[in-house]
Amino acid sequence: MGTKKVSQKDFEKWVEKLIGLQKVFGVQSKDDKYEFGALLKAENLRLDYDITILPPKKYFLPSTEQLFSFGESGFNSSVDGEPFILFGVHPYDFVAIRQLDVLFSMKNNDVYYQTRRNAATIIVCDVENISENAFSGFLGFDHVEKGFDLLVTKTGSDYLVESGSDKGKKLLSLMENAVDAQAADISKRSEKWKKNRELLKKQLLKANVNELPAALGKAYDHKIWNEKAEKCFSCGSCNLVCPTCYCFDVQDDFGWDLKSGERTRSWDGCMIENFATVAGDHNFRKNKSDRYRHRYYRKGKYVPEKIGEIACVGCGRCISACVARIANPVEIFNAVAEA
Amino acid sequence: MASGATNIYLPEYATITAAKQMTETEMYFSFKLDSGKPLGHMPGQFAEVSLPGIGEAPISISSSPGSNGTFEMVIRKIGNVTNKIHTMKQGEKIGIRGPFGTTFPVETAMKGKDIVFICAGLGIVPLRSAIQYVMENRKNYGKVTILSGTRTPSQRLFIDELKKWAAIKDVTVLETVDIAEDGWTGNVGVITTLFSKVEIDPAKTIALIVGPPVMYKFAILELRKYNMKHQDIYVSLERHMKCGVGKCGHCQINNLYCCQDGPVFSYADIENIREAI
Ligand SMILES: Cc1cc2nc3c(=O)[nH]c(=O)nc-3n(C[C@H](O)[C@H](O)[C@H](O)COP(=O)(O)OP(=O)(O)OC[C@H]3O[C@@H](n4cnc5c(N)ncnc54)[C@H](O)[C@@H]3O)c2cc1C
Ligand code: SF4
Ligand code: SF4
Ligand code: FES
């Protein structure tokens, strides 16, 4: 849909303009790390980040959100559909959002997710710095060529901005002093993609991704499940930081009048001990290894069989988040592929 | 209001039209949707029962669709929602979402066949919807055998209905209890002990099994002794459920979602699913 080139200065001006136009959430520094948060000034935007602590999933599936309130007027559901801009989503995280788009509309549409998703304009940005545990390069999730509203790539001291939707085009039209990108600029971007594909291979994935569902199918009794899970604290951190985890719990609360109140849903994790426990204290995944295996089967087999794509995007967040040092999907995928 | 089509998480109101204690821990309820519409379920399906402020619980629909716009449930008191509903009376309101899930094959595989219902513990509650359906359309099915087992005589459910069904032509009802109490003159022993009294023609029989998780293995072993084909055996499985609509992930049985791919499964479809039985 057209790619523009713009100087650093005009790019920043444009970001400032967007902030005046809509609510913008963008990547900013937080101590020595990075996170998505409300962007108040263009200069706070850090498109040179390596990885954010939490994935941008939280803007579509908040860690806790109200499903409805109840009271004398009955059940009332409302979800904020105010337009917003999500600035600086890395390609692998964008792939995760694309997967959630499919999962939350499959068979039954989830209006909360969908309303937020429709309200968003997503600005993807190519990776400038490589995080320590990244492996999206092995999965083909190191860059994206479609689906985004806008794609931003830094080339030297300029930015290339491509629009991929009408929403994106509209925002792009607000940019001043932008010129059409030339073939040489586009090939600079292609070079960057090629380089990033190789750089985003910090964890060495040897397994063939397409054969992973079949390999897992044969690895149910592999010794690795026990070996790893033995050290697991069932803390759920690997679930929490994962851009493709979307399980949730549902909770009711009364207000002070004990008549009105709300029902909310919150992130949940399949690694947590009582995730599958039913009344009478019967836990269908009682052993840590059962839960541990389930997580990797979801990433490598169950969800891929539904959506046709591996449900781990290679961000490496779980690897960094696990204090037991056992949550590396690459180790699992390599081991089952070898067996 | 949320934009877009129907909101899968939003309950509708229903009113309790009857409530009565059945045993120490089980209560019977009948409900009617405030919209006046029938629930629109088929035997084997469940609905999410909502008590705003307390929570939601998936509960089987225990009546056949034919009961003039009301639907029935039997609820065991075991936690937050179920304890609270045990304090509720006729005329009070609850929330309902559903019906959800797969159904017993009353209009497909079961048609024209002999039917064996194997009900252990609370298993008779979901199976009753199919039993009623079969009795209402008696000529569409062959011989019917109902095996029912509970821990003790005082935990028996639907005693009058079992008696009524037993009086119907070509219907056999066999009951047993694990532990006899004073005055019990019937069979004593786990439900599988009843199989010695049953004749099954594997060529024309469909078996439906519902009971506590540990029971399925044993009941299926008995049925396999009759050389029953695995696709002719149906089970209904329970799992932790939070949404009922295939999103929350709690009910997964390996790759299957109990709330959508189940709760009713043919044994042939789950015999290789490691987490199933
Ligand atoms: C398809 C299906 C059909 C069912 N049919 C019936 C029925 O006809 N009659 C009946 O009495 N019961 C039925 N149940 C079981 C019933 O759903 C649970 O007993 C109920 O959810 C417990 O809720 P609670 O709020 O009272 O307990 P809670 O206070 O929520 O919890 C008590 C225990 O139950 C577990 N639990 C919590 N939520 C669920 C849940 N949604 N499903 C299962 N366990 C849960 C908790 O982990 C805890 O261990 C059915 C369950 C399923 C999945
Ligand atoms: S499993 Fe780990 S590496 Fe894969 S997407 Fe989730 S957090 Fe990232
Ligand atoms: S982060 Fe590590 S210790 Fe915690 S649940 Fe995941 S694997 Fe287990
Ligand atoms: S109950 Fe939520 S996915 Fe099945």
Side-chain angles (χ1 to χ4, degrees):
Chain A
M1 266 200 208
T3 305
K4 299 281 181 191
K5 185 163 98 168
V6 70
S7 70
Q8 168 96 29
K9 206 175 101 228
D10 284 313
F11 182 80
E12 273 178 27
K13 262 199 194 153
W14 175 64
V15 175
E16 210 62 69
K17 226 185 213 176
L18 297 185
I19 292 172
L21 191 73
Q22 278 184 23
K23 216 177 244 173
V24 178
F25 299 96
V27 181
Q28 294 156 71
S29 69
K30 151 112 176 162
D31 304 326
D32 59 340
K33 295 194 165 78
Y34 299 94
E35 67 173 10
F36 278 94
L39 190 69
L40 303 177
K41 282 191 282 187
E43 64 187 65
N44 292 348
L45 187 64
R46 291 293 299 272
L47 295 185
D48 61 338
Y49 76 102
D50 54 356
I51 192 148
T52 54
I53 304 167
L54 287 180
K57 164 183 90 178
K58 63 182 182 182
Y59 294 107
F60 308 110
L61 184 67
S63 60
T64 296
E65 74 178 312
Q66 189 192 75
L67 293 177
F68 55 82
S69 63
F70 56 84
E72 271 168 13
S73 61
F75 302 112
N76 288 299
S77 87
S78 67
V79 47
D80 187 1
E82 191 193 327
F84 68 96
I85 295 166
L86 190 53
F87 211 127
V89 175
H90 272 169
Y92 51 83
D93 275 339
F94 182 68
V95 170
I97 293 171
R98 242 170 27 195
Q99 295 188 354
L100 295 185
D101 290 349
V102 174
L103 292 159
F104 275 105
S105 60
M106 194 177 263
K107 288 190 193 162
N108 294 306
N109 195 36
D110 187 300
V111 291
Y112 306 94
Y113 181 90
Q114 218 56 57
T115 305
R116 291 199 169 84
R117 186 63 181 84
N118 292 339
T121 304
I122 299 185
I123 305 180
V124 174
C125 80
D126 274 313
V127 179
E128 282 296 308
N129 284 296
I130 310 298
S131 68
E132 55 171 353
N133 289 316
F135 57 99
S136 56
F138 286 109
L139 307 171
F141 300 152
D142 46 85
H143 77 276
V144 287
E145 299 184 25
K146 57 178 193 308
F148 48 77
D149 295 306
L150 288 168
L151 171 67
V152 173
T153 315
K154 189 147 198 249
T155 53
S157 59
D158 298 320
Y159 284 94
L160 294 189
V161 186
E162 179 178 348
S163 67
S165 73
D166 288 341
K167 267 197 236 173
K169 214 165 157 182
K170 228 183 240 161
L171 296 189
L172 188 53
S173 71
L174 302 173
M175 193 183 267
E176 285 167 35
N177 302 321
V179 297
D180 286 335
Q182 302 301 306
D185 302 313
I186 301 291
S187 74
K188 266 193 211 162
R189 187 175 68 179
S190 303
E191 277 307 305
K192 180 165 212 146
W193 286 349
K194 231 165 97 188
K195 231 171 72 197
N196 273 354
R197 172 148 299 180
E198 294 320 306
L199 291 173
L200 288 161
K201 288 182 173 173
K202 293 286 198 182
Q203 294 287 338
L204 194 59
L205 184 70
K206 296 185 202 131
N208 178 334
V209 176
N210 297 322
E211 287 163 15
L212 202 54
L216 280 166
K218 285 183 254 164
Y220 206 79
D221 298 308
H222 199 293
K223 62 179 189 322
I224 195 161
W225 309 124
N226 262 322
E227 279 174 7
K228 295 280 181 190
E230 230 174 36
K231 305 188 193 93
C232 178
F233 301 116
S234 304
C235 67
S237 297
C238 50
N239 294 128
L240 207 77
V241 299
C242 180
T244 65
C245 273
Y246 63 98
C247 288
F248 57 85
D249 189 24
V250 178
Q251 168 82 39
D252 279 32
D253 288 293
F254 276 120
W256 289 106
D257 61 357
L258 295 182
K259 281 193 193 108
S260 61
E262 60 172 2
R263 177 165 298 164
T264 53
R265 70 169 164 196
S266 315
W267 293 349
D268 205 345
C270 60
M271 299 293 277
I272 294 165
E273 183 169 5
N274 282 324
F275 185 80
T277 303
V278 298
D281 252 349
H282 188 91
N283 187 347
F284 286 98
R285 264 180 237 108
K286 194 174 165 58
N287 299 318
K288 288 193 272 193
S289 57
D290 294 337
R291 300 193 291 277
Y292 186 86
R293 175 178 52 217
H294 185 72
R295 173 164 157 80
Y296 293 101
Y297 266 64
R298 260 183 84 105
K299 301 299 173 208
K301 181 171 166 64
Y302 303 154
V303 179
E305 283 168 355
K306 272 179 178 271
I307 65 171
E309 185 171 272
I310 183 170
C312 162
V313 295
C315 69
R317 287 186 180 93
C318 54
I319 305 172
S320 316
C322 178
V323 283
R325 296 249 151 268
I326 52 165
N328 188 343
V330 171
E331 283 179 27
I332 302 295
F333 296 156
N334 286 346
V336 300
E338 249 169 48
Chain B
M1 272 310 283
S3 64
T6 48
N7 183 345
I8 48 177
Y9 303 109
L10 204 60
E12 56 180 315
Y13 280 106
T15 301
I16 300 176
T17 54
K20 67 174 187 268
Q21 199 72 38
M22 297 182 90
T23 68
E24 210 182 309
T25 46
E26 277 89 34
M27 236 174 121
Y28 160 96
F29 294 92
S30 93
F31 305 98
K32 199 172 177 106
L33 293 179
D34 288 8
S35 67
K37 295 198 189 106
L39 186 60
H41 72 287
M42 283 296 279
Q45 290 193 291
F46 68 94
E48 288 282 349
V49 171
S50 251
L51 301 181
I54 313 285
E56 255 186 332
I59 304 289
S60 310
I61 301 147
S62 187
S63 51
S64 75
S67 17
N68 66 38
T70 63
F71 56 96
E72 298 165 15
M73 290 178 166
V74 174
I75 299 178
R76 172 174 289 179
K77 156 176 152 173
I78 197 146
N80 297 331
V81 173
T82 51
N83 282 333
K84 172 70 185 173
I85 204 167
H86 268 240
T87 68
M88 293 176 73
K89 295 180 194 66
Q90 189 181 339
E92 289 191 78
K93 288 191 192 307
I94 61 151
I96 286 284
R97 289 191 301 130
F100 296 132
T102 52
T103 72
F104 294 119
V106 285
E107 281 299 321
T108 50
M110 285 164 69
K111 272 232 170 128
K113 296 286 173 60
D114 290 351
I115 316 290
V116 181
F117 294 98
I118 300 158
C119 331
L122 271 188
I124 194 167
V125 170
L127 280 172
R128 177 172 169 262
S129 65
I131 298 174
Q132 285 188 343
Y133 195 93
V134 166
M135 298 309 169
E136 287 162 12
N137 302 278
R138 190 67 198 87
K139 62 175 193 322
N140 291 345
Y141 308 92
K143 253 180 16 185
V144 171
T145 308
I146 300 169
L147 308 183
S148 175
T150 52
R151 263 181 66 72
T152 63
S154 57
Q155 288 174 343
R156 290 161 72 218
L157 297 167
F158 299 114
I159 299 170
D160 293 342
E161 269 172 83
L162 283 166
K163 213 185 279 169
K164 206 177 74 196
W165 293 329
I168 296 170
K169 186 166 175 291
D170 286 331
V171 177
T172 309
V173 174
L174 294 172
E175 280 195 87
T176 185
V177 298
D178 294 353
I179 305 157
E181 282 164 354
D182 286 351
W184 176 254
T185 55
N187 295 305
V188 178
V190 293
I191 193 160
T192 44
T193 58
L194 292 176
F195 279 91
S196 62
K197 303 179 198 309
V198 181
E199 271 177 44
I200 292 174
D201 178 351
K204 55 168 188 145
T205 302
I206 298 287
L208 312 184
I209 314 173
V210 188
V214 289
M215 184 272 290
Y216 289 96
K217 242 180 238 147
F218 298 103
I220 288 166
L221 271 177
E222 291 298 326
L223 290 171
R224 284 168 63 172
K225 286 185 194 159
Y226 293 92
N227 289 319
M228 275 199 67
K229 290 197 286 293
H230 294 184
Q231 77 249 33
D232 292 337
I233 302 172
Y234 288 83
V235 299
S236 175
L237 302 180
E238 183 187 342
R239 286 297 183 277
H240 190 146
M241 292 184 180
K242 278 297 175 188
C243 72
V245 289
K247 305 292 185 208
C248 76
H250 279 273
C251 70
Q252 266 194 281
I253 306 173
N254 292 117
N255 59 320
L256 300 174
Y257 284 75
C258 190
C259 67
Q260 286 192 322
D261 301 314
V264 178
F265 296 96
S266 126
Y267 178 55
D269 289 340
I270 54 159
E271 61 184 320
N272 296 318
I273 304 289
R274 297 282 290 270
E275 289 181 343
I277 283 175

